[in-house]
Amino acid sequence: MINLQNTSETINHLLRTFRLLQKVGRKHPEVRKHEILFYQLLEKYFTRILNAREEGNFIATHTTFMPGEILYAMDIVPMQTEWTSWILALFTKRGTDFISEGRRLGLTNEVCSAQRGIAGAFSLGTLPRPDAVIWSNLICNNIAKNGELIMEINRCPGFFLDHPLGDSAAERNYLRGEIEDMIHFLEEQTGRKMDWDHLSDSVAGTMKQIEISRQICELRKAVPSPFHPQEFMEMLTVTYLFQGQPEATEYLEMLYEDLSLSVSEGRGAVSPERFRVMSIFLSPIYRAPFLEKFSQEHGMVSVAEPIFTQWEEGKLDPTRPLDSLVQKLYMLPERSLYSPVGERTLKKIVDCAKEYKADGAIAYADVACQHTCALIKLFKDVLNDIDVPLLILDCDLVDQTVTSEEDMREKLEQFLELLEDR
Amino acid sequence: MKPAPTADLTSQALDRFREVNGLFPETSHILEHKRQGKKVLGWLCTYVPEEIMHAAGVLPIRITGYSHEIKPDEGNAYLYVNNCSFSRSCLQLGLRGGYDFLDGIAGGSTCDCARRLMDLWHHYIATSFYHMITVPQKYSSKAHELYYEQITQFTQHLSEFTGIEITDASLSHSIQIYNESRELLRKLYDLRKANNPPITGSEIIEISNAGFRMPKETFNEYLKNLLTNIDTSRHAYSNSRARLMLTGSILGNHEFVESIEQLGGLVVTDDLCTSTRHWYDMIEVNQDESPLRAISRRYLNNFPCARMIPHDERLKRIRDLAQGFRVDGAISQIVHNCTPYTHELSFVTKMLEAQGIPVLSLDVEYGTASSGQIQTRVQAFLEMLEGKRR
Ligand code: SF4
Ligand code: SF4
């Protein structure tokens, strides 16, 4: 029996699982190349974390929307808090332990289980101890307020990157200053200097990834739509973990090729395609296999996730890497949740529903994610105006005890019946 | 334990504040201001400088929810059940027309619930003026520069809206009035340092609440009247069992404090945004600097909210207050689903307990007057504090 309290045993367990999944995938011709690459990349990411100490590398743990390009350019080993702990929770089945430990630390149910789980995973020693924490307030209070606790648990220094709410010139300038200060902090902590050429290359990589992501979105407009639910989580994972790196570009290119082929052959992700839905917010990570199966059984396909896959307009200029990182943080699809949510975000939701010919929309209402749930009524109203019904599905991103699969199935089936009757 | 009978002049002075609260949410002062053709703006969160609105001839009033616990039907429907009960109560009051007298609202990017409350207010309860201030979450010099720029924008926007030029002279005048208020409140709070304070924690909340809904000039007159007439030999509560501090998120209903005091817990200080944190720091205008600079510095550096990072300054200030007011214990009251304060609670508890100050933590609905369960827990806490003293 593996001792999952032990970091290296835990990671080795993960690595074995990822290798096995690649092996199984290679034996089955119907498994597409990008699916195998996904596990290969996870293996690579966790191997770097596992070997960091031995190789004398510096580990910086960072929250979701931190510009990871900076870490790669400084040869720092990135450890993304949310995705790393979720992957751990998923593959070790210890999500509940992490969440309970977070509660023991004083993070009561008001704090989303995602952040409780992260603190718990660090506290239990399941995640490796980082050398520094860098975190920000993008995109919620829970992320912002967890940083000091993670610093305390790991007894390591940290840098908080403060995102302004709006996007005036002064606010953009402030964000640029914050990024500069963070680079100075990392230089001091690591004793290394920023490699600006490497940073420019990473920014070019990010621009490339944004372009491919936009092309993938275009492909998803096809009827039938070629994108599987599990591809959404995989795509997010790879682009969050390898920001601006060739690995993410390779993955996206492969995905794009696979989807293009499906479109040219008129093959949809589900057959026959009966319901085109738009997904608002994140679906529970651990229900991805269920959603895949359900989609196949019912001919339901998610055609768009406006808040996660739709980049805002704009370009990055690798010759001006800092300005480009600021620009990227303003172009992030998820940022539309942060700025005062007004006409622009509402228009994005409505346009998306029209352009992707959505029959309905599903809002995954994470029971402790306040700022997302507080938008459901607004989104429901604007979608209602264009006759696109919205299903609210109460759930929890990480805590499996909140909604059962049966509950989800029942609500989804009722919703599809409603769509069918129209 | 019942409050001791109050001396007449003291109670008369206190009744003036109570009269204002009795007319919540639309006080006679608000009506009078409007009758004069002047504007009333609602502000949400202590990082929105009132002096600027005052200098534009506006009556700034604080947006709060109902003064009692409610069933937040519309609050839940619009903001979802997981947003803090304060924001849901505010929105419900707004949706039901309680704030129809407002000409506009101004808020800051303080926390998720506050910014979503502003989003929904803007969409569903339209007002002619709406302004959102980016409030940096740290104290660096760059953060101060950004906040200064933000309130400069706010000043310009308000001038355009009211048609009144906001000058250095008008800002200086407003600073003087608001600083006077802070000084008077400090004097009042200092009376609570006595072994047998002449004023209760509950009365302090009543005073603060009134101050949010009337012109500061009149509020200052009321405060002066109270300070002149307060009977310092008055023992607001005899035989108190322990001196307490209240910490945590927003608190609107004075009856909640009264329920603790009736059990013998004398609330002598707090770090609540509806009392101490609202008035604590003075605005100090340095030589050769504009009043707006001074306002900006004070508001970002003021007694911090749990949102600020790092939290060291807030912890230090809480510790200083606890020592200054010689508290035996602290009660943390956190409004249901208030995440910034929930995150900070373990740090506050650890710090206070290291000072030998036990902490009772209560998760409450905004506006609550108390409950059987709260009473039982407070009672047990007071017994524990008494046991510790013996
Ligand atoms: S689930 Fe919601 S509250 Fe939690 S970290 Fe994610 S965005 Fe923030
Ligand atoms: S600080 Fe807490 S009580 Fe105040 S608005 Fe934010 S979440 Fe609500």
Side-chain angles (χ1 to χ4, degrees):
Chain A
M1 164 129 171
I2 354 155
N3 172 11
L4 293 174
Q5 304 288 356
N6 177 307
T7 309
S8 62
E9 278 196 41
T10 309
I11 297 184
N12 273 315
H13 168 71
L14 285 188
L15 296 179
R16 281 193 296 276
T17 314
F18 299 149
R19 278 186 217 118
L20 183 69
L21 288 164
Q22 290 170 58
K23 213 166 133 191
V24 173
R26 285 195 191 99
K27 280 193 187 148
H28 291 81
E30 73 277 13
V31 176
R32 289 168 301 169
K33 282 183 293 177
H34 69 266
E35 294 177 60
I36 300 168
L37 180 61
F38 172 69
Y39 291 109
Q40 200 179 320
L41 294 182
L42 286 186
E43 183 190 344
K44 187 169 187 177
Y45 189 80
F46 279 94
T47 304
R48 279 195 82 194
I49 294 175
L50 178 71
N51 297 338
R53 289 267 166 272
E54 238 170 63
E55 293 172 358
N57 279 328
F58 188 95
I59 304 180
T61 197
H62 67 100
T63 48
T64 311
F65 306 109
M66 294 297 274
E69 292 88 346
I70 287 172
L71 301 178
Y72 282 107
M74 293 180 75
D75 203 17
I76 291 171
V77 176
M79 185 165 74
Q80 213 269 9
T81 49
E82 286 80 6
W83 293 86
T84 314
S85 63
W86 290 348
I87 291 167
L88 270 180
L90 203 61
F91 287 95
T92 62
K93 306 218 177 332
R94 291 200 62 210
T96 318
D97 291 351
F98 297 167
I99 294 167
S100 329
E101 174 66 6
R103 204 175 194 302
R104 194 192 61 76
L105 294 168
L107 303 179
T108 50
N109 293 352
E110 280 84 358
V111 175
C112 71
S113 56
Q115 297 302 320
R116 262 187 290 154
I118 291 167
F122 275 117
S123 171
L124 289 173
T126 318
L127 280 175
R129 199 186 69 74
D131 298 294
V133 183
I134 53 173
W135 82 102
S136 79
N137 43 4
L138 205 58
I139 194 134
C140 63
N141 284 161
N142 278 313
I143 294 181
K145 291 309 300 177
N146 218 13
E148 286 177 286
L149 180 60
I150 297 176
M151 271 168 72
E152 190 184 83
I153 296 169
N154 292 300
R155 293 195 182 78
C156 69
F159 183 90
F160 170 65
L161 191 139
D162 189 16
H163 275 266
L165 186 71
D167 72 354
S168 65
E171 286 163 288
R172 281 180 178 246
N173 196 33
Y174 177 65
L175 183 54
R176 192 185 196 278
E178 284 291 288
I179 296 175
E180 275 173 329
D181 289 350
M182 184 175 81
I183 292 174
H184 293 149
F185 165 82
L186 289 169
E187 286 180 336
E188 266 172 30
Q189 295 299 322
T190 57
R192 294 178 199 162
K193 286 280 162 208
M194 165 58 80
D195 179 343
W196 292 98
D197 289 339
H198 191 163
L199 187 62
S200 291
D201 289 347
S202 292
V203 167
T206 298
M207 188 60 234
K208 179 87 189 142
Q209 287 152 26
I210 295 171
E211 280 164 0
I212 307 173
S213 301
R214 286 174 175 152
Q215 289 164 359
I216 289 175
C217 287
E218 283 303 309
L219 287 177
R220 295 176 68 189
K221 288 180 181 167
V223 181
S225 186
F227 196 81
H228 290 256
Q230 94 222 17
E231 281 160 353
F232 166 57
M233 293 312 273
E234 290 177 2
M235 184 171 136
L236 276 198
T237 308
V238 173
T239 46
Y240 286 170
L241 299 189
F242 292 95
Q243 296 178 65
Q245 303 312 297
E247 288 88 344
T249 309
E250 188 190 356
Y251 172 85
L252 290 171
E253 280 172 345
M254 241 179 224
L255 175 62
Y256 177 76
E257 275 169 31
D258 281 338
L259 297 177
S260 300
L261 189 66
S262 298
V263 172
S264 65
E265 291 174 352
R267 248 185 309 120
V270 294
S271 176
E273 178 180 287
R274 296 174 61 214
F275 306 103
R276 295 171 69 86
V277 298
M278 192 164 80
S279 305
I280 314 240
F281 316 130
L282 276 187
S283 55
I285 321 269
Y286 52 90
R287 293 272 182 254
F290 160 75
L291 280 173
E292 179 69 41
K293 191 159 167 267
F294 183 91
S295 303
Q296 296 297 342
E297 284 168 7
H298 293 79
M300 178 184 93
V301 65
S302 174
V303 287
E305 304 80 18
I307 287 157
F308 289 93
T309 45
Q310 306 276 317
W311 285 84
E312 296 290 333
E313 277 174 23
K315 274 195 166 161
L316 309 184
D317 175 359
T319 62
R320 293 166 54 228
L322 279 185
D323 292 333
S324 293
L325 290 179
V326 172
Q327 169 72 356
K328 177 199 160 186
L329 289 167
Y330 276 97
M331 283 161 56
L332 272 177
E334 296 86 348
R335 203 181 191 287
S336 52
L337 290 175
Y338 189 58
S339 321
V341 168
E343 296 316 314
R344 213 172 78 174
T345 305
L346 298 180
K347 185 172 178 309
K348 185 176 177 175
I349 298 284
V350 168
D351 288 352
C352 214
K354 288 182 185 162
E355 283 168 23
Y356 288 78
K357 302 188 186 70
D359 303 308
I362 303 173
Y364 294 97
D366 184 315
V367 290
C369 183
Q370 300 174 316
H371 72 125
T372 51
C373 288
L375 293 172
I376 291 176
K377 163 90 175 132
L378 258 182
F379 290 174
K380 196 177 171 89
D381 286 354
V382 291
L383 286 172
N384 201 25
D385 290 346
I386 55 161
D387 209 19
V388 174
L390 176 108
L391 166 71
I392 304 169
L393 211 53
D394 282 328
C395 60
D396 189 291
L397 265 188
V398 192
D399 187 349
Q400 308 199 15
T401 59
V402 171
T403 336
S404 68
E405 205 169 288
E406 290 68 48
D407 260 2
M408 261 180 109
R409 174 180 293 278
E410 199 185 313
K411 290 200 181 109
L412 281 168
E413 278 174 351
Q414 280 169 4
F415 183 62
L416 296 187
E417 268 169 33
L418 179 141
L419 294 185
E420 192 150 45
D421 289 348
R422 285 156 63 88
Chain B
M1 192 173 64
K2 286 267 172 230
T6 47
D8 273 344
L9 286 177
T10 311
S11 70
Q12 276 169 24
L14 285 169
D15 282 346
R16 300 177 83 177
F17 298 100
R18 291 184 179 125
E19 251 168 56
V20 179
N21 293 333
L23 296 167
F24 175 88
E26 196 173 19
T27 64
S28 51
H29 296 285
I30 294 171
L31 288 172
E32 174 56 23
H33 196 81
K34 292 214 66 125
R35 204 186 50 75
Q36 291 171 17
K38 293 194 273 186
K39 300 209 183 309
V40 179
L41 292 187
W43 57 271
L44 189 87
C45 144
T46 50
Y47 289 89
V48 180
E50 288 169 85
E51 287 82 350
I52 299 175
M53 292 179 270
H54 182 267
V58 160
L59 174 62
I61 67 129
R62 185 173 194 152
I63 293 180
T64 60
Y66 289 88
S67 46
H68 54 272
E69 191 177 335
I70 53 149
K71 201 164 155 268
D73 296 325
E74 285 100 317
N76 291 350
Y78 284 74
L79 265 170
Y80 219 73
V81 284
N82 63 9
N83 276 247
C84 75
S85 58
F86 165 69
S87 58
R88 282 178 287 139
S89 182
C90 291
L91 189 66
Q92 181 150 318
L93 185 52
L95 287 167
R96 290 193 177 176
Y99 283 108
D100 283 356
F101 57 83
L102 286 182
D103 296 292
I105 51 164
S109 59
T110 45
C111 69
D112 292 347
C113 294
R115 68 189 164 91
R116 283 294 177 254
L117 172 58
M118 287 293 288
D119 285 340
L120 296 200
W121 198 293
H122 191 39
H123 195 85
Y124 292 108
I125 318 170
T127 50
S128 39
F129 179 88
Y130 166 85
H131 195 99
M132 193 68 176
I133 295 171
T134 285
V135 185
Q137 219 163 335
K138 59 208 289 190
Y139 307 95
S140 62
S141 54
K142 287 173 185 155
H144 274 283
E145 271 313 306
L146 177 65
Y147 184 66
Y148 174 68
E149 187 273 343
Q150 286 290 305
I151 65 162
T152 305
Q153 297 291 334
F154 180 47
T155 308
Q156 283 162 3
H157 191 186
L158 261 177
S159 284
E160 280 161 24
F161 175 65
T162 56
I164 293 172
E165 197 193 346
I166 302 173
T167 62
D168 280 1
S170 61
L171 282 171
S172 298
H173 174 65
S174 301
I175 290 175
Q176 205 187 333
I177 290 164
Y178 276 75
N179 269 349
E180 184 182 20
S181 198
R182 295 178 180 115
E183 250 166 35
L184 293 166
L185 284 165
R186 189 177 304 280
K187 280 186 188 151
L188 191 63
Y189 270 59
D190 279 347
L191 296 176
R192 304 167 80 190
K193 289 183 174 161
N195 283 341
N196 288 305
I199 189 147
T200 67
S202 159
E203 287 160 350
I204 290 283
I205 301 287
E206 290 184 279
I207 293 166
S208 300
N209 283 348
F212 297 136
R213 292 180 180 269
M214 62 196 290
K216 215 38 87 181
E217 294 84 341
T218 320
F219 181 59
N220 290 351
E221 286 315 312
Y222 283 20
L223 281 175
K224 280 187 229 163
N225 174 48
L226 174 65
L227 284 163
T228 312
N229 289 304
I230 198 162
D231 176 359
T232 48
S233 67
R234 171 196 194 225
H235 293 168
Y237 283 100
S238 51
N239 304 325
S240 82
R241 295 164 70 187
R243 296 172 67 82
L244 299 176
M245 171 181 201
L246 278 180
T247 174
S249 43
I250 194 159
L251 188 152
N253 190 347
H254 71 98
E255 288 170 23
F256 176 80
V257 183
E258 193 174 283
S259 77
I260 295 171
E261 297 190 315
Q262 280 175 353
L263 292 171
L266 184 58
V267 176
V268 290
T269 189
D270 65 79
D271 81 310
L272 305 176
C273 74
T274 23
S275 32
T276 305
R277 285 207 298 100
H278 173 241
W279 60 264
Y280 205 75
D281 291 16
M282 300 290 283
I283 295 184
E284 280 159 22
V285 189
N286 296 331
Q287 233 183 357
D288 301 328
E289 87 175 340
S290 72
L292 202 58
R293 272 274 170 209
I295 291 174
S296 167
R297 185 176 55 246
R298 182 272 180 194
Y299 272 82
L300 197 59
N301 279 346
N302 185 35
F303 200 131
C305 163
R307 72 183 289 276
M308 296 302 281
I309 294 171
H311 52 202
D312 311 22
E313 177 67 14
R314 174 165 182 257
L315 296 179
K316 181 185 159 300
R317 298 244 198 160
I318 294 176
R319 191 193 60 212
D320 290 351
L321 275 185
Q323 287 171 351
F325 285 83
R326 296 174 293 113
V327 307
D328 305 307
I331 295 185
S332 153
Q333 68 86 40
I334 297 180
V335 162
H336 192 48
N337 289 336
C338 166
T339 45
Y341 285 88
T342 303
H343 272 279
E344 286 300 298
L345 178 60
S346 64
F347 291 100
V348 173
T349 306
K350 224 183 289 169
M351 179 276 293
L352 284 173
E353 286 181 351
Q355 308 291 312
I357 301 169
V359 179
L360 168 69
S361 79
L362 301 175
D363 176 25
V364 300
E365 288 299 336
Y366 176 77
T368 188
S370 193
S371 69
Q373 200 205 17
I374 291 176
Q375 297 268 304
T376 312
R377 296 193 59 205
V378 172
Q379 181 70 270
F381 184 62
L382 291 172
E383 276 164 23
M384 188 271 285
L385 292 179
E386 282 174 322
K388 200 168 158 260
R389 263 213 307 255
R390 278 198 287 268

